[in-house]
Amino acid sequence: MTTSVLSKQALLEHWQGHRNLTRRVILAFPEKELFEYAVGGMRPFALLVQEMIAIAGPALKSIVNNETNAYQEADGIKTKEALLTKWDEETAVINHYYNLLSEERFQETFNLFGQYEFKIIDNIFYFIDNEIHHRGQGYVYLRSLGIEPPYFWER
Amino acid sequence: MTTSVLSKQALLEHWQGHRNLTRRVILAFPEKELFEYAVGGMRPFALLVQEMIAIAGPALKSIVNNETNAYQEADGIKTKEALLTKWDEETAVINHYYNLLSEERFQETFNLFGQYEFKIIDNIFYFIDNEIHHRGQGYVYLRSLGIEPPYFWER
């Protein structure tokens, strides 16, 4: 039950590999459709990406500092260039705070955003899985715009 | 670099938690739309689910038995009930073969379907992530049908 199958470093590489793919999905959108186009009454991809940005770095910082911060919705980014710049800034933020998190803490519980009381390892899986989930939705938007998305398995 | 953050058992629970959510997404589709409806020229959700079924159990069995088998596309299931039955059978197949896989093997490489040469841990992440990716697309189909999907964080 306690044998381990994943190193801390491998999980970061897995996460940043997914983030690298999401960056290429952002790039695949035309500027206007990135901010305005959606299917089924859902949010445009730029808003889904701003949700990812509002979760990953801020949540990891809260975990490392052991502070409970409320979720801060983000929708202030209005251009593709600014979105990509913020994305890259968060890549560095994630690497920074992740490296400050000790292996021992991954099994501790943390009340994320004061709302989701789970083990830290499960919080981190949530950040990754939520990104995969919404990025998959971005693939549908791209397909319905007639644009070929990046290959899912390329990170 | 070699400290570990995830137990073998926790990864199985994470995986089966996702599979349980996917099962509820299948249930949320009306029978006809499950097999016929899609957005952007993509495959209907029943075909995405049959891809998940063609990957997870068969791939895990190949890994455990150290046999390279080609990917066998699956599209023969024609009713929601049969799809759910097959889904539940695969739940048991996955549990069975997963329990036969030793912790030591997770860091070995395996040439999945004779095509994807990755560590076994990364192969398993691929099974999970591919399911999240396509399930996220099923959410768009449901939303565009006016149907509320299950909460993403409920497993």
Side-chain angles (χ1 to χ4, degrees):
Chain A
M1 292 287 281
T2 55
T3 312
S4 293
V5 293
L6 182 70
S7 74
K8 181 185 161 188
Q9 183 61 29
L11 179 58
L12 179 62
E13 286 166 18
H14 177 70
W15 188 2
Q16 293 289 17
H18 272 298
R19 294 187 73 261
N20 187 45
L21 174 58
T22 302
R23 191 184 198 282
R24 286 186 292 121
V25 175
I26 299 169
L27 277 170
F29 272 87
E31 176 103 24
K32 181 178 161 67
E33 283 75 10
L34 179 60
F35 288 89
E36 295 179 11
Y37 184 77
V39 175
M42 296 176 64
R43 289 170 287 171
F45 194 60
L47 281 181
L48 300 178
V49 170
Q50 285 178 86
E51 178 187 293
M52 297 170 199
I53 289 171
I55 292 175
L60 197 58
K61 184 179 174 190
S62 293
I63 289 170
V64 168
N65 293 339
N66 247 319
E67 303 168 329
T68 300
N69 298 303
Y71 177 70
Q72 297 270 352
E73 205 156 338
D75 61 359
I77 297 175
K78 302 298 181 200
T79 68
K80 184 169 167 175
E81 193 187 342
L83 192 63
L84 289 166
T85 299
K86 181 68 175 166
W87 191 260
D88 294 339
E89 286 170 7
E90 291 303 307
T91 302
V93 167
I94 289 167
N95 286 339
H96 174 75
Y97 284 102
Y98 192 88
N99 287 328
L100 295 175
L101 188 63
S102 70
E103 282 85 348
E104 292 67 34
R105 291 204 56 210
F106 281 71
Q107 306 311 315
E108 289 177 14
T109 58
F110 185 80
N111 191 11
L112 189 70
F113 302 127
Q115 281 191 286
Y116 306 98
E117 179 99 40
F118 295 114
K119 282 187 181 177
I120 289 173
I121 178 70
D122 291 323
N123 277 315
I124 293 171
F125 274 134
Y126 179 78
F127 311 154
I128 299 170
D129 296 348
N130 187 61
E131 175 171 336
I132 300 169
H133 174 72
H134 285 315
R135 187 182 59 212
Q137 298 173 338
Y139 274 60
V140 183
Y141 297 180
L142 285 173
R143 289 273 180 208
S144 77
L145 288 165
I147 297 167
E148 181 90 19
Y151 288 120
F152 177 68
W153 57 86
E154 281 183 8
R155 309 283 152 83
Chain B
M1 291 286 283
T2 55
T3 312
S4 292
V5 293
L6 183 70
S7 74
K8 179 185 163 190
Q9 184 61 29
L11 179 57
L12 178 63
E13 286 166 19
H14 177 70
W15 186 3
Q16 293 288 17
H18 273 300
R19 294 187 73 262
N20 188 44
L21 175 58
T22 302
R23 190 184 199 283
R24 286 186 292 123
V25 176
I26 299 169
L27 276 171
F29 272 87
E31 176 103 24
K32 180 178 162 68
E33 284 74 11
L34 180 60
F35 288 89
E36 295 180 11
Y37 183 76
V39 175
M42 295 175 65
R43 289 169 287 170
F45 194 61
L47 281 181
L48 301 179
V49 170
Q50 284 178 87
E51 178 187 294
M52 298 170 199
I53 289 170
I55 292 176
L60 196 59
K61 184 179 174 191
S62 292
I63 289 170
V64 168
N65 293 338
N66 246 319
E67 304 169 328
T68 300
N69 299 302
Y71 176 71
Q72 297 270 352
E73 205 156 337
D75 61 359
I77 297 175
K78 302 297 180 200
T79 68
K80 183 169 168 175
E81 192 186 344
L83 192 62
L84 289 166
T85 299
K86 180 68 174 164
W87 190 260
D88 294 338
E89 286 170 8
E90 291 303 307
T91 301
V93 167
I94 289 167
N95 286 338
H96 174 75
Y97 284 102
Y98 192 87
N99 288 328
L100 295 176
L101 188 63
S102 70
E103 282 86 347
E104 292 68 34
R105 291 204 57 211
F106 282 70
Q107 306 310 315
E108 290 177 13
T109 59
F110 184 81
N111 190 11
L112 189 70
F113 301 127
Q115 283 191 283
Y116 306 98
E117 179 98 40
F118 295 114
K119 283 187 180 176
I120 289 173
I121 178 70
D122 292 322
N123 276 317
I124 293 171
F125 275 133
Y126 179 79
F127 310 154
I128 300 170
D129 296 347
N130 186 61
E131 176 171 336
I132 300 169
H133 173 72
H134 285 315
R135 187 183 58 211
Q137 298 173 337
Y139 274 61
V140 183
Y141 298 179
L142 285 173
R143 289 273 181 209
S144 78
L145 288 165
I147 297 167
E148 180 89 19
Y151 289 120
F152 177 68
W153 57 86
E154 281 184 8
R155 309 283 153 83

